[in-house]
Amino acid sequence: MELIVKPDRVKAGLLGAKIIAQVVRERADAVLGLATGSTPLSLYAELVRMHCEEGLSFKNVVTFNLDEYVGLDPSHPGSFHAVMEKHLFQHLDLRPGATHLPDGCAADIPGSCEAYERSIKAAGGIDLQLLGIGGDGHLAFNEPGSSLSSRTRIKTLTGETLRANSAPFGDLDKVPKHVITMGLGTIMEARSCLLLAFGTDKAEAIHEMAEGAVSASCPGSILQFHQKAIVLLDEEAASRLQRKQYYLDVYAGKPEWQCWE
Ligand code: GLP
């Protein structure tokens, strides 16, 4: 796991966009795993800028999102379909049908979860999976206690996650309690992972994820087993790291050919 600490979330978001842009430039038909939440929004805005001002093309890129609410119409502003359309998809030159999210309105949920796994495989697997993390260490909607080898499936949200995601629904009671999420096993098959975390609310989860024991109690800690996981933090999210100075030294001394900036 490579931990990179930037002075603030703006600089971290810009670097995250550079990392994704490099993947797309190296492989025009890259398969990107995408995430929702507030954390990746500045990164998405920078990708849109790179597309509009620098000609970064996504016309052969394929995307798979991590998760979606069960029973929420894709047109609902709180649905991850709507969020992705608003902040990213409508601004890029992605082909129709190139973007995929779990189908929260499927009549046969287990069948549609299996189909989602099959379409990731049929696309050749995910080149880079973008991730955020919950304050309790959850990845996508894999809440604490999730199987470390889980696949795409239905999950029930914890009270903490319901509260954290309530803003677009106005009322806590209106937040769907069930979701479909890629599993931890699904995420671990991505060829690289890029996790972003900002703010003091994430500091403990980041410490547990990177420096604690690998445990289903902190689902993010499974990334300690990933061969290529990059964790991009602002100073606040890095504030509980015990080896912070070491991570800063590693980044400052990186050979030029490994750098993105
Ligand atoms: C939700 C999403 C996660 C995201 C997390 C953190 O639970 N399913 O993918 O990482 O929220 O969200 P935020 O970035 O808003 O802190």
Side-chain angles (χ1 to χ4, degrees), residues 35-40 66-67 80 131-135 138-141 157 161 164-165 202:
T36 48
S38 56
T39 307
L66 287 168
D67 43 20
F80 292 164
L131 296 162
I133 191 165
H138 73 251
L139 281 193
F141 273 135
L157 297 181
T161 303
N165 288 283
K202 303 292 171 74

